[in-house]
Amino acid sequence: MWLQTAFPSLNILHEAAIDDVAFVVLEQAKTRGRNFSAVSMVCEIGDRASYPTTSRPPGNDLDPAMAIVSEAFSRLENTGLIARDHSSHNAETYRVTRRGLAIRGRSDFASYAKRSYLPDEVLREEIAEVALSPFLAGRYDEAVRSAFTRVESAVRKAAGYGYDQYGVKMMQCAFGSNKEGTELGPLSDPDMEPSERVSLMNLFAGAIGYIKNPLSHRELDIDDARIAASRILLANDLMYSLAANAKKALGLELAQFLKRFDEEMGNQ
């Protein structure tokens, strides 16, 4: 039985990472032809003969195994490796997508699985172009550093600063104000509540000081894709905030700001 070959006992299956189970399910789905029924594959697990009694703890039934395989199918569908086959009259029929067929081994699968941590509909192009490739390659320090370096460069350009301005101090100048609040930084939103304006300044300055600066001076050996992705998404959110503030503080529409930023980055 295909599942038992990969996971000889229910205990092993239960302890396995969901991506490992999903990879096995995907490989099995490829053998089913153009389309297959996810329901039938899950129900196959319900055949008690597939896992002998000796492989199960006392009192253990196969419902947990069926649930785990169902989770694996959800994982495959969410990452675009399988999809419902709308050409079939059976609403429960799936097919392996072109992306799924391109998976040739576990390393390929791992890259696609990690890709779901940084969805296309959320990740901005200017962050994706510098951070996505090293992230998928497992170079997490480089990916995070590149994302925040891009934020720093974008703030510098938007604020009209030269290369002598950088880091935490630059963020404080760009988004802050003088003590009296009468002179605002070039990226400070005059319509924002003063306390919120200070908080935004601290958000940019803190992110650069806590995340970007240490990576500029030493390797942190980030070894968890989820941590790296969460930090890249923080840089991504800062870019959204920067664009919004540039629109208000500088009178630039979002499209104008991005066009100017892309042109200036291209001229470096």
Side-chain angles (χ1 to χ4, degrees):
M1 197 272 185
W2 60 271
L3 186 65
Q4 189 182 3
T5 299
F7 307 101
S9 74
L10 285 177
N11 283 338
I12 293 175
L13 176 63
H14 186 268
E15 295 296 327
I18 194 62
D19 282 348
D20 290 339
V21 181
F23 175 75
V24 171
V25 171
L26 177 64
E27 292 301 295
Q28 178 63 20
K30 290 179 182 179
T31 70
R32 301 292 172 114
R34 182 176 179 276
N35 51 47
F36 57 91
S37 168
V39 172
S40 66
M41 287 181 67
V42 171
C43 288
E44 285 179 12
I45 312 304
D47 178 6
R48 298 183 67 87
S50 62
Y51 274 105
T53 304
T54 54
S55 76
R56 303 196 304 269
N60 190 291
D61 58 35
L62 289 171
D63 288 343
M66 297 172 69
I68 291 170
V69 174
S70 295
E71 289 177 22
F73 270 108
S74 295
R75 182 78 168 121
L76 293 172
E77 187 171 14
N78 290 338
T79 51
L81 300 179
I82 64 172
R84 292 186 183 275
D85 186 359
H86 296 289
S87 66
S88 171
H89 296 295
N90 184 350
E92 299 299 330
T93 298
Y94 283 76
R95 61 179 177 82
V96 179
T97 64
R98 289 171 294 174
R99 178 179 290 182
L101 292 172
I103 298 292
R104 300 299 184 187
R106 288 184 181 272
S107 60
D108 285 347
F109 185 86
S111 293
Y112 281 113
K114 288 192 297 185
R115 182 66 179 85
S116 67
Y117 295 152
L118 299 172
D120 287 330
E121 61 271 21
V122 173
L123 198 63
R124 295 176 65 94
E125 182 178 354
E126 58 268 32
I127 296 296
E129 67 184 11
V130 297
L132 189 56
S133 179
F135 173 79
L136 293 178
R139 302 194 304 272
Y140 300 134
D141 279 24
E142 177 186 342
V144 175
R145 180 171 56 248
S146 297
F148 280 91
T149 298
R150 178 53 58 92
V151 171
E152 188 176 40
S153 297
V155 170
R156 181 184 297 112
K157 292 293 186 181
Y161 293 149
Y163 287 104
D164 58 329
Q165 297 293 318
Y166 54 87
V168 172
K169 185 176 180 180
M170 182 181 74
M171 298 300 171
Q172 292 170 334
C173 292
F175 291 95
S177 64
N178 60 9
K179 291 182 179 180
E180 295 75 24
T182 56
E183 294 183 16
L184 300 180
L187 298 178
S188 294
D189 179 1
D191 298 325
M192 186 177 287
E193 289 291 330
S195 62
E196 294 178 4
R197 191 160 56 233
V198 171
S199 295
L200 182 63
M201 176 194 70
N202 289 334
L203 178 62
F204 273 84
I208 293 298
Y210 177 67
I211 298 177
K212 191 267 181 184
N213 283 354
L215 285 167
S216 297
H217 303 296
R218 63 184 186 276
E219 294 296 327
L220 299 184
D221 295 326
I222 301 172
D223 60 1
D224 190 321
R226 293 166 296 183
I227 292 175
S230 69
R231 294 183 176 180
I232 292 170
L233 289 174
L234 173 57
N236 194 69
D237 183 67
L238 293 177
M239 289 296 291
Y240 275 112
S241 297
L242 172 60
N245 270 52
K247 177 180 177 181
K248 290 185 177 181
L250 304 178
L252 294 176
E253 294 294 330
L254 176 60
Q256 291 176 307
F257 168 74
L258 293 179
K259 181 179 180 181
R260 191 177 85 170
F261 174 73
D262 289 339
E263 290 173 350
E264 292 178 339
M265 291 301 294
N267 290 331
Q268 288 188 7

